[in-house]
Amino acid sequence: MIRRRRNYADNFSIIDNRAVNDKRLSWEARGMLLYLMSKPDDWTVSFKNLQNQSRAGRDKVYGIMRELINCGYAKRVRRRSSDGTYGRCDYEISDIPLEESSYGNAGHG
């Protein structure tokens, strides 16, 4: 039996069930995706924060993010500075797979 609390305030998330039921994703990746989707739209993905929110180490967190990228739920976007050089990397997260799952690597940028 599944029990749901019926008196929701502003502290809840809605996520597409396809992501939760995607058998390509490990339980860890599903959990990280749920955590990321619970954040506001303007929240910046921080690997240090992801490490602090779990018992996973740096390599594990990067591996889970790589899994989300490979399955199309995350995209790594390399930003350019005003002088044209590469700057920081941002991550776009979605609860439905993005168009392609070959968005470059999930390096430690």
Side-chain angles (χ1 to χ4, degrees), residues 15-84:
I15 187 167
D16 192 302
N17 281 332
R18 288 175 289 186
V20 177
N21 295 308
D22 190 334
K23 292 180 181 179
R24 298 175 304 156
L25 295 176
S26 66
W27 286 112
E28 292 165 325
R30 294 178 206 195
M32 183 183 286
L33 182 60
L34 288 171
Y35 175 76
L36 292 168
M37 293 305 302
S38 76
K39 300 301 176 197
D41 289 345
D42 61 348
W43 192 79
T44 300
V45 174
S46 160
F47 283 90
K48 192 65 165 167
N49 173 272
L50 294 174
Q51 289 175 46
N52 291 337
Q53 293 299 315
S54 71
R55 296 182 298 222
R58 185 195 69 179
D59 292 343
K60 184 67 166 182
V61 169
Y62 281 110
I64 295 169
M65 181 60 75
R66 200 169 17 258
E67 182 180 346
L68 291 175
I69 289 170
N70 290 339
C71 291
Y73 292 98
K75 178 180 178 182
R76 183 177 182 218
V77 180
R78 173 86 75 188
R79 303 291 179 201
R80 287 190 179 259
S81 328
S82 57
D83 65 0

Side-chain angles (χ1 to χ4, degrees), residues 93-108:
I93 309 297
S94 176
D95 64 340
I96 56 174
L98 301 165
E99 290 183 77
E100 297 291 329
S101 61
S102 56
Y103 288 114
N105 68 44
H108 300 287

